[in-house]
Amino acid sequence: MTKYLEYQLKEIKDTYLSYLGPPFNEKDFSPPRPNTTALSLPSAATRLELWRGLENRARLAQNQRAYSVLLAAVRELARSTLCPYLQTSLLHFCTGLDGLLGSISGLMTTLGYALPPPSAVSVGGSDGELQEPRRDVEGFWILRELQSWLWRSAKDFNRLKKRLRG
Amino acid sequence: IFYSVISEAEQPAVIINALIFRLCPFLVGRIQYERMGSDVTMQCGSLDNDASVSWKVNGTDIKARHRLEGPRLLLTQVDLGHNGLYSCFQNPHGERRDTINLRIGTAPREPTVTCRSNTYPKGFYCSWHQQHSTYIPTEFEVDVHHNQRALEVQRDPVHKNRCHVRFPEVFSSFPYRVNVTAINDLGRASAAISFEESNIVKPDPPERVVATPIPNNVRRLEVTWNSPSTWPDVDNFPLKYFLRYRPLIRDQWQHVELSDSTSHTITDAYAGKEYIIQVAAKDTEIGTWSDWSVAVHATPWIEEPKQITSTTEQHGHTQTETLPNTQLLKYTHEQIHAQCFLLR
């Protein structure tokens, strides 16, 4: 499922960057990541030895939390997008992402792991709206981080599979 | 971090010159680098402007067009032919006053830089080269940044134009930026590339590819291989493989993609035909396919040909007679079909 979502996301990301226009759609463009407390995207990046040492419950919990936050962020991104086609694509993508989140939560429950309490996910300003001019940059980073998580999750689930078999 | 690049031909001379220069700088001379095509002035030591000197290059008279102005030797539009050890001798007694090693070259141009990770997730390496030679020693500075942090760069012990960097983290969303600056006495030039961790991953080819015929199976070959030894953690970062094979007499390859398996049985080989087989590898999620492995050759198992004997009945006796100088080979229906297909 992560591979399917990754493939879908690539197409949406290209459309979204074209929608944002230059410099976002330029090759190798990477804006500074916003250091806002209102938008705390969980980073997929981790030190290798930490990642290897994650025990099953923590590994799944990190994935579950990440997709909870990212799902809310993508929904907000869809809501604030003016292009109807892009909005439809993003909302459709959210359906898939919701499915993935459901699968992770289901697996945690099956394995007897308590689900983390739902965090108060707040994206953007206090009224929940993404503020200009940060919106474009935050949108860029939401999709970038989502891409990294989908890639990481494939490796996480592979490791989980091997550990659970063993 | 600096890398000094000197051609192999120059290395002994450069090393010897450096040693002698420390002991007797007067003998070897200081090095003077000048730009190709430019006009060059060489000054004989610290002699006054009214001093009268004569010059030699490599112990002989200077044949190239030149001009003398007191203690100075002027050369115009220099090229590589002007390279040499120039010595000046003060008139009238001819004492040697200076020795200059003139080296003609060019300023560096932007190097071409590429980076690759064949040891993911351990690290990556970057290589660079100059499209055009500068003809003079050129050094390189390399710096690597990730998420506003400078990363430690290790020099390759074998390859002069290569360096290694460890990944500080995995699954990063931040790009890496590698900047390489070529520097010599005539100038400097930089080139920078930017990439994401996932885009530079390319394993080395699979190793120890072995193809074996299977007894009593005329159309099968068993192929096994190992993951590349440079790939450090195949359990957590598994590879998938692409196998291609064809009979030697055909140009068209057949392909099979395999996940997490290091063996495959080819079941549709043409009986009796020699095959060429290769395997490539890729991380299951990111990066690009490796180059093809070394090719291996194999032929499916062939049944040994049997001698056919004829039998005749005569007056109640059965006589068995072996046909002289004739051997009839027994082919299976499949083998005959395969031969006809190939001929077609």
Side-chain angles (χ1 to χ4, degrees):
Chain A
M1 190 164 193
T2 56
K3 288 192 194 300
Y4 168 69
L5 288 172
E6 216 177 330
Y7 173 76
Q8 235 190 343
L9 179 59
K10 189 181 177 314
E11 295 198 345
I12 292 172
K13 189 181 157 201
D14 289 343
T15 309
Y16 184 74
L17 294 179
S18 300
Y19 161 76
L20 292 181
F24 295 93
N25 59 348
E26 287 164 11
K27 189 178 175 293
D28 295 339
F29 174 70
S30 187
R33 186 168 167 150
N35 189 25
T36 56
T37 52
L39 176 63
S40 59
L41 283 177
S43 176
T46 177
R47 290 201 13 225
L48 180 62
E49 56 274 20
L50 289 176
W51 180 82
R52 277 199 184 117
L54 278 175
E55 48 100 10
N56 295 345
R57 192 197 60 78
R59 194 178 294 278
L60 280 167
Q62 285 189 9
N63 275 264
Q64 203 270 353
R65 181 177 174 270
Y67 289 115
S68 298
V69 173
L70 287 165
L71 178 57
V74 177
R75 280 185 175 140
E76 177 54 34
L77 200 64
R79 197 198 64 77
S80 60
T81 299
L82 299 175
C83 168
Y85 169 76
L86 191 54
Q87 191 176 68
T88 307
S89 299
L90 284 168
L91 287 172
H92 178 72
F93 183 78
C94 285
T95 312
L97 207 54
D98 198 19
L100 175 62
L101 186 55
S103 297
I104 296 169
S105 302
L107 181 58
M108 287 181 76
T109 306
T110 305
L111 293 172
Y113 304 146
L115 292 177
S119 50
V121 176
S122 169
V123 171
S126 55
D127 58 359
E129 284 190 9
L130 284 166
Q131 301 297 320
E132 292 276 15
R134 284 199 326 248
R135 182 169 62 195
D136 293 352
V137 174
E138 284 175 343
F140 177 96
W141 277 104
I142 288 167
L143 297 185
R144 169 72 70 86
E145 201 57 68
L146 187 48
Q147 200 170 26
S148 296
W149 266 106
L150 289 171
W151 155 36
R152 173 179 156 170
S153 293
K155 296 284 194 252
D156 275 322
F157 300 146
N158 176 67
R159 183 147 173 87
L160 265 166
K161 190 169 72 174
K162 289 186 172 163
R163 288 184 78 159
L164 288 171
R165 270 188 197 153
Chain B
I1 188 165
F2 284 88
Y3 299 86
S4 184
V5 176
I6 306 168
S7 71
E8 283 192 19
E10 290 175 315
Q11 275 175 358
V14 169
I15 292 167
I16 291 168
N17 276 354
L19 285 171
I20 296 175
F21 184 66
R22 283 193 170 274
L23 300 167
C24 307
F26 179 81
L27 286 178
V28 174
R30 54 195 163 84
I31 302 177
Q32 184 169 330
Y33 294 106
E34 296 287 350
R35 213 175 284 267
M36 205 175 292
S38 65
D39 296 341
V40 168
T41 300
M42 278 183 278
Q43 173 80 33
C44 183
S46 52
L47 297 180
D48 293 337
N49 280 338
D50 58 359
S52 168
V53 301
S54 60
W55 290 84
K56 280 193 184 300
V57 60
N58 300 328
T60 60
D61 293 335
I62 300 173
K63 292 184 178 56
R65 199 169 65 176
H66 64 279
R67 209 166 74 241
L68 296 176
E69 279 182 6
R72 287 178 293 278
L73 170 67
L74 281 72
L75 302 170
T76 52
Q77 294 186 313
V78 294
D79 58 33
L80 295 177
H82 290 91
N83 281 344
L85 217 52
Y86 290 77
S87 301
C88 57
F89 306 88
Q90 189 168 16
N91 298 323
H93 302 294
E95 301 98 340
R96 176 152 56 180
R97 292 301 184 200
D98 202 356
T99 304
I100 301 166
N101 186 359
L102 180 66
R103 302 284 309 281
I104 307 301
T106 60
R109 296 191 214 183
E110 279 183 26
T112 303
V113 185
T114 54
C115 297
R116 175 187 166 211
S117 174
N118 62 335
T119 57
Y120 187 74
K122 207 164 98 177
F124 62 94
Y125 68 88
C126 296
S127 306
W128 55 88
H129 69 272
Q130 294 240 270
Q131 302 273 25
H132 303 92
S133 176
T134 57
Y135 306 104
I136 60 174
T138 302
E139 295 177 344
F140 296 90
E141 268 179 18
V142 182
D143 60 81
V144 180
H145 285 83
H146 174 254
N147 195 8
Q148 299 172 325
R149 274 176 51 209
L151 302 183
E152 189 184 324
V153 179
Q154 300 279 349
R155 177 180 186 166
D156 190 289
V158 173
H159 300 97
K160 279 187 288 202
N161 282 16
R162 186 182 287 193
C163 67
H164 298 266
V165 182
R166 290 189 82 93
F167 281 117
E169 56 186 10
V170 285
F171 313 119
S172 175
S173 303
F174 290 96
Y176 290 80
R177 189 166 174 84
V178 175
N179 191 55
V180 178
T181 305
I183 304 167
N184 67 22
D185 260 50
L186 302 177
R188 56 197 295 150
S190 290
I193 64 167
S194 194
F195 53 84
E196 288 175 31
E197 173 189 336
S198 55
N199 291 342
I200 62 163
V201 174
K202 178 181 175 179
D204 287 329
E207 297 173 4
R208 294 202 290 275
V209 181
V210 175
T212 317
I214 298 173
N216 302 308
N217 280 281
V218 298
R219 299 198 69 184
R220 292 185 176 220
L221 286 168
E222 192 189 8
V223 188
T224 60
W225 58 90
N226 289 96
S227 61
S229 53
T230 45
W231 195 257
D233 186 359
V234 78
D235 282 336
N236 289 307
F237 295 85
L239 295 170
K240 59 181 177 182
Y241 300 96
F242 212 65
L243 186 146
R244 69 176 186 179
Y245 59 97
R246 63 174 173 88
L248 274 187
I249 57 172
R250 294 196 87 169
D251 293 330
Q252 208 171 1
W253 294 94
Q254 283 171 269
H255 297 96
V256 181
E257 185 168 326
L258 302 145
S259 289
D260 221 4
S261 169
T262 53
S263 66
H264 176 71
T265 302
I266 296 168
T267 58
D268 59 351
Y270 294 122
K273 296 301 167 193
E274 185 178 350
Y275 272 75
I276 180 168
I277 299 148
Q278 289 178 293
V279 191
K282 182 184 169 300
D283 178 272
T284 48
E285 267 69 54
I286 58 172
T288 54
W289 287 98
S290 71
D291 292 341
W292 290 107
S293 67
V294 169
V296 295
H297 294 244
T299 307
W301 178 85
I302 308 171
E303 190 177 352
E304 283 294 320
K306 292 178 185 171
Q307 281 190 346
I308 295 186
T309 56
S310 71
T311 6
T312 55
E313 279 195 18
Q314 226 175 15
H315 305 302
H317 297 284
T318 304
Q319 281 186 324
T320 304
E321 186 185 332
T322 306
L323 296 169
N325 297 325
T326 305
Q327 269 191 331
L328 291 178
L329 298 177
K330 183 179 162 187
Y331 284 97
T332 63
H333 177 72
E334 276 180 334
Q335 284 171 314
I336 293 168
H337 178 76
Q339 296 279 357
C340 292
F341 184 84
L342 285 170
L343 285 169
R344 197 177 60 207

